[in-house]
Amino acid sequence: MEKPNTDIDWFEVISENYMNTEGRPMSVLESIRKDYPITCHGVGMSLGSSNDIDPNYLKDLKLLIDRVDPFLVSDHLAWNHFNGIRLHELIPVPYHEECLEVITNHIDHVQNELKRQIAIENISAYFNYKSSTMKECEFLNLLTQKTGCLILLDINNVYVNAKNFQFNPVDFIKTIPKKSIAQIHLAGFTDMGNFLFDTHAEPVHPEVWNLLETFLDYIPENVPIMIEWDENVPEFQQLEDELNKVRKIVKKGIKNEVREPSELIY
């Protein structure tokens, strides 16, 4: 397969799409991998489940990452698997000590089995648990301290949750240890009128670009940044144009002062 004419530096693949898979899917992935670094981003590890991590899942994931050697392996701070039932959604976890202990043990187990650090992504959510005793950003921070895991910081998810639950996105991002940020996601949400829905179906919104610009001086230098677009996917050139906006922001080295919440949530 001929290398595409693109300025894109690397690609991210959904791990589950290539686990236990051969044929054309794996052929295409291996062809891309010859020319580009990749990351493996999972949606099915279910780190927040009270059940143990599925050993067959981990076995298949390790076979994949040993085969394609991604520069980062990641999944979500969420659960979607319980007693053999798998949900096709990322369900948030309660933020309290008991849950922190469970997820800490799960991350330790996964990192030992895979023999590498993994990165955990903050998700978009549409409800809170009454049992939570801490904020999501505090919970993520404690996970990095206890396990040495990394953070995949989804700035779109930070903004969506900040708008839906009325908190300050500045405080959230400032709580995440800079040294733990291994990758950044950007995406487009859909405004449903009374809440924002993380659809990945639109261009990145100005408010999310604003958050990226605001914290450009805070995030690690040369951290990998990518655009997620899962529905209503446009022509490839439009996707590349979105990514070039990231390059322009980073190249300009914008150093905005941290603004008040009213300027970031509107």
Side-chain angles (χ1 to χ4, degrees):
M1 183 179 294
E2 185 178 349
K3 182 178 179 181
N5 182 20
T6 175
D7 292 330
I8 288 178
D9 301 310
W10 56 277
F11 289 88
E12 180 175 281
V13 301
I14 300 299
S15 302
E16 290 79 6
N17 287 347
Y18 299 93
M19 290 162 56
N20 253 337
T21 300
E22 294 294 338
R24 179 169 172 76
M26 184 56 69
S27 175
V28 171
L29 176 58
E30 290 185 327
S31 178
I32 292 172
R33 182 64 187 91
K34 288 178 182 178
D35 296 316
Y36 299 95
I38 65 167
T39 71
C40 287
H41 185 52
V43 295
M45 194 175 289
S46 198
L47 288 166
S49 174
S50 58
N51 295 142
D52 292 337
I53 303 296
D54 183 348
N56 292 322
Y57 178 95
L58 275 185
K59 178 183 177 182
D60 291 340
L61 177 59
K62 189 172 189 311
L63 287 172
L64 173 65
I65 64 178
D66 287 348
R67 185 169 182 173
V68 300
D69 189 27
F71 69 85
L72 185 67
V73 175
S74 60
D75 210 291
H76 299 79
L77 180 58
W79 67 274
N80 52 15
H81 181 210
F82 181 72
N83 286 348
I85 299 173
R86 289 193 179 273
L87 306 174
H88 297 286
E89 294 290 344
L90 295 170
I91 312 299
V93 302
Y95 306 123
H96 54 59
E97 290 294 336
E98 183 179 2
C99 190
L100 180 66
E101 182 179 359
V102 169
I103 299 177
T104 294
N105 291 336
H106 285 171
I107 293 175
D108 283 341
H109 175 64
V110 169
Q111 293 186 143
N112 287 333
E113 289 294 309
L114 299 183
K115 295 180 172 55
R116 62 161 68 207
Q117 284 177 298
I118 62 171
I120 309 303
E121 179 180 348
N122 56 297
I123 70 167
S124 55
Y126 308 98
F127 65 89
N128 286 320
Y129 293 91
K130 291 182 178 180
S131 61
S132 292
T133 58
M134 63 184 82
K135 296 177 181 178
E136 178 191 9
C137 53
E138 296 169 332
F139 194 93
L140 278 165
N141 193 5
L142 287 170
L143 281 178
T144 66
Q145 293 176 21
K146 290 177 175 292
T147 69
C149 74
L150 303 168
I151 299 297
L152 195 171
L153 181 62
D154 191 311
I155 293 180
N156 179 68
N157 290 352
V158 173
Y159 181 79
V160 166
N161 288 352
K163 183 71 172 181
N164 289 343
F165 299 118
Q166 291 299 297
F167 65 78
N168 186 346
V170 170
D171 291 341
F172 185 105
I173 296 178
K174 287 175 66 177
T175 302
I176 304 299
K178 178 178 179 178
K179 64 181 181 180
S180 72
I181 301 174
Q183 186 182 339
I184 287 176
H185 275 179
L186 301 168
F189 59 79
T190 299
D191 190 339
M192 307 300 290
N194 56 349
F195 72 98
L196 302 184
F197 191 23
D198 178 33
T199 57
H200 298 179
E202 300 183 21
V204 178
H205 286 249
E207 301 93 329
V208 177
W209 288 124
N210 186 35
L211 265 184
L212 174 65
E213 292 174 3
T214 297
F215 280 95
L216 188 63
D217 213 23
Y218 176 81
I219 61 179
E221 186 177 359
N222 298 322
V223 65
I225 303 174
M226 67 159 286
I227 306 290
E228 294 182 294
W229 205 320
D230 300 335
E231 298 182 20
N232 303 326
V233 180
E235 294 296 323
F236 190 84
Q237 185 58 54
Q238 185 175 345
L239 297 175
E240 194 160 2
D241 289 344
E242 282 285 283
L243 188 60
N244 284 333
K245 293 179 184 179
V246 178
R247 291 193 174 104
K248 290 179 181 178
I249 290 172
V250 172
K251 186 175 181 179
K252 285 170 63 178
I254 298 172
K255 294 179 173 60
N256 294 335
E257 294 182 0
V258 174
R259 284 162 278 186
E260 292 301 315
S262 61
E263 294 178 87
L264 290 166
I265 303 177
Y266 51 88

